[in-house]
């Protein structure tokens, strides 16, 4: 079976703030422990670096409890950053706070002019960006994003994030250019028609927020049946603890902006 690798040269992460205890969540199962969060985050950064990528960890932003989830305020395509407009009021300022870093790291920076879009609602393949309408991402934002994405050589396809799911990528991830890992309920919407879909195992929906980062698939620990499915399909699986991020509705994809810069520009 072909498992074409996706090559990322860089990732940007943000250290979790002590204020992550005030992070947004749909259901309160207790606050994350900042020290434990920092340990899990450090292991995550180590796993990204182990693939050979240059990983920059930006300093924590105490004013923004959810800022460790750096995927939400920006999208990087072809080395160009699009500053998004996070849909939660407490997160709206994260894009402006991140912008100077992306000016330093990326070939260009473009601002989404209107609407609301969270990066967690954008799943990119080699050719298209699937953008999920959700409580955080609205039609005005998707309409404003479309020409920006198309100018960078991608199609934009509007999809629906089912109402009970925070972000489209809470329940899906790209494993290779043709294959998506998704929960059965998201796959059942038909939005992945044309892709090969590997479904998470029963009771393991939270495993869907994985990332293919160069050779390995990084998967949250504690989902043995989904791990087995991926291994059986030929993927190298690296399991990482995400117990603290999960308490504030986060997972593996949310904690990095992953991109490729072929000539090493921005390699700091
Ligand atoms: C939030 O509700 O915005 C954060 N507590 C979790 C964000 C997770 N981000 C993501 O799925 N891309």
């Amino acid at each position: 079976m072909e498992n074409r690798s996706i090559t990322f040269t860089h990732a940007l992460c943000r250290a979790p703030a002590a204020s992550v205890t005030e992070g947004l969540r749909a259901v309160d199962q207790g606050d994350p422990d900042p020290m434990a969060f920092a340990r899990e985050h450090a292991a995550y950064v180590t796993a990204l670096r182990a693939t050979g990528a240059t990983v920059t960890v930006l300093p924590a932003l105490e004013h923004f409890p959810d800022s460790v989830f750096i995927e939400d305020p920006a999208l990087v395509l072809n080395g160009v950053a699009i500053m998004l407009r996070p849909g939660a009021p407490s997160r709206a300022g994260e894009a402006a706070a991140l912008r100077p870093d992306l000016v330093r790291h990326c070939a260009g920076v473009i601002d989404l002019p209107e609407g609301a879009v969270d990066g967690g609602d954008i799943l990119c393949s080699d050719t298209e960006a699937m953008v999920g309408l959700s409580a955080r991402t609205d039609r005005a934002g998707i309409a404003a994003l479309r020409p920006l994405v198309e100018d960078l050589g991608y199609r934009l396809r509007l999809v629906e994030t089912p109402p009970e799911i925070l972000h489209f990528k809470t329940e899906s991830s790209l494993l290779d250019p043709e294959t998506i890992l998704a929960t059965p309920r998201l796959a059942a919407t038909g939005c992945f028609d044309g892709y090969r879909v590997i479904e998470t195992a029963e009771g393991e929906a939270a495993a869907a927020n994985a990332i293919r980062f160069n050779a390995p698939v990084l998967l949250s620990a504690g989902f043995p049946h989904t791990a087995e499915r991926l291994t059986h399909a030929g993927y190298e699986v690296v399991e990482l603890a995400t117990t603290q991020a999960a308490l504030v509705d986060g997972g593996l994809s949310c904690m990095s902006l992953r991109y490729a810069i072929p000539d090493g520009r921005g390699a700091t």
Side-chain angles (χ1 to χ4, degrees):
M1 176 173 305
E2 189 186 24
N3 264 337
R4 284 205 285 133
S5 183
I6 299 166
T7 303
F8 295 101
T9 57
H10 290 76
L12 269 183
C13 298
R14 174 153 336 262
S19 63
V20 72
T21 51
E22 292 157 39
L24 299 172
R25 66 208 80 172
V27 177
D28 194 5
Q29 297 176 289
D31 293 343
D33 169 2
M35 298 297 286
F37 205 133
R39 281 194 298 276
E40 291 185 357
H41 191 264
Y44 174 76
V45 170
T46 298
L48 295 177
R49 285 190 176 135
T51 73
T54 299
V55 182
T56 302
V57 182
L58 301 172
L61 291 177
E62 292 298 337
H63 288 330
F64 295 108
D66 284 301
S67 54
V68 64
F69 302 120
I70 193 170
E71 175 183 72
D72 291 320
L75 170 70
V76 183
L77 287 178
N78 292 340
V80 174
I82 301 175
M83 302 314 305
L84 301 173
R85 296 166 61 94
S90 67
R91 304 198 62 187
E94 287 183 31
L98 176 60
R99 197 179 195 286
D101 296 297
L102 292 181
V103 167
R104 248 179 319 115
H105 286 269
C106 295
V109 174
I110 306 167
D111 297 297
L112 184 71
E114 59 189 341
V117 178
D118 273 17
D121 278 315
I122 307 174
L123 179 64
C124 289
S125 73
D126 276 0
T127 54
E128 71 170 352
M130 284 171 252
V131 187
L133 264 183
S134 74
R136 301 286 180 87
T137 295
D138 63 18
R139 286 187 189 276
I142 296 176
L145 184 62
R146 184 181 294 282
L148 308 183
V149 163
E150 289 176 351
D151 279 355
L152 292 168
Y154 289 77
R155 284 193 309 275
L156 185 151
R157 183 153 63 91
L158 187 152
V159 291
E160 304 268 345
T161 303
E164 62 277 22
I165 301 176
L166 172 61
H167 286 129
F168 190 69
K169 274 190 300 193
T170 303
E171 297 208 357
S172 63
S173 40
L174 189 79
L175 296 174
D176 63 46
E178 294 92 24
T179 313
I180 284 170
L181 174 67
T183 59
R185 71 173 165 180
L186 189 54
T189 67
C191 59
F192 301 125
D193 287 357
Y195 289 89
R196 178 173 72 127
V197 176
I198 297 177
E199 293 188 353
T200 54
E202 192 179 347
E204 297 192 355
N209 186 259
I211 45 174
R212 174 76 185 272
F213 192 74
N214 298 326
V217 174
L218 308 186
L219 187 75
S220 284
F223 303 107
H225 302 293
T226 303
E228 169 57 29
R229 284 182 188 183
L230 294 176
T231 304
H232 185 72
Y235 297 97
E236 173 194 338
V237 174
V238 171
E239 296 185 46
L240 291 167
T242 55
T243 61
Q244 303 306 299
L247 290 169
V248 279
D249 299 346
L252 292 167
S253 83
C254 331
M255 294 191 288
S256 55
L257 274 173
R258 303 162 295 278
Y259 56 100
I261 296 186
D263 63 3
R265 191 174 30 200
T268 56

